[in-house]
Amino acid sequence: MKTFLFVSLAALSVAFTSCMKEAFDYESPFGSKINTWTFTDGVKTQNGHFLVDPVLHTTMEPNNTYTLEMNGMQSGTGYTLNMVISLEDLDFAVRKYQSGIQGSNLYTSFHFSGSATSRDPIFVSSNTDPGAIMNYTISNYNVSDNTVSITFSGEAFDVNGHLVSISNGKMTARIVRK
């Protein structure tokens, strides 16, 4: 009887310890954790980290906007993500933006490329090559720690010029103002 009680208590101890370890080791998913991003390209989920804190350039551009620039890399593949949004203000009050718009003078774009040295995009939505419209929404801005969360979805051109659906896009980052 003592052996059975000891084995039962030991098993419960191991079970509770492993559950506590899993909860402690849990990392929030890509796109929610600071300086991470994720999106689904219709076939596969892509995700990674921003190499440096994204930069909000506080000097007004000739088109009366401010440029938010984000550069990230996917671990293992070396694929890069470059997103640029021409913001109308510096405090993220305007929440919705688009890329891929014909005749726009905004710099907003989404580029997912094979490597940092490759200029050939795997997926692209840009106002300089209109037609693949991507929607960006500022879902949260925390002024106290200067973090922003942005969701994005829409279409991008693939390497063959075909439209590809981009969904479940999300990034969260600490912003550096320059």
Side-chain angles (χ1 to χ4, degrees), residues 35-88:
N35 288 353
T36 65
W37 54 268
T38 187
F39 68 89
T40 302
D41 63 23
V43 177
K44 184 178 178 190
T45 298
Q46 311 285 352
N47 53 54
H49 297 86
F50 290 111
L51 303 175
V52 295
D53 290 343
V55 175
L56 175 54
H57 298 277
T58 58
T59 302
M60 187 176 278
E61 297 288 341
N63 63 3
N64 296 322
T65 64
Y66 304 92
T67 303
L68 175 60
E69 183 179 4
M70 301 159 276
N71 297 294
M73 184 172 283
Q74 187 175 54
S75 299
T77 65
Y79 291 174
T80 61
L81 174 69
N82 176 271
M83 289 193 328
V84 175
I85 300 177
S86 289
L87 298 173
E88 293 183 34

Side-chain angles (χ1 to χ4, degrees), residues 7 25 29 40 53 58 64 66 76 93 110 116 124 126-127 129 145 157 170 174 178:
V7 170
D25 289 346
T40 302
D53 290 343
T58 58
N64 296 322
Y66 304 92
F110 168 90
V124 64
S126 171
N127 289 341
D129 187 15
D145 64 0
F157 290 118
K170 185 174 182 183
R174 182 165 290 107
K178 290 188 178 180

Side-chain angles (χ1 to χ4, degrees), residues 71-111:
N71 297 294
M73 184 172 283
Q74 187 175 54
S75 299
T77 65
Y79 291 174
T80 61
L81 174 69
N82 176 271
M83 289 193 328
V84 175
I85 300 177
S86 289
L87 298 173
E88 293 183 34
D89 56 63
L90 291 171
D91 59 1
F92 299 97
V94 176
R95 299 281 178 155
K96 297 192 182 286
Y97 296 91
Q98 289 184 312
S99 60
I101 304 300
Q102 178 82 29
S104 176
N105 69 344
L106 302 178
Y107 308 126
T108 303
S109 64
F110 168 90
H111 288 267

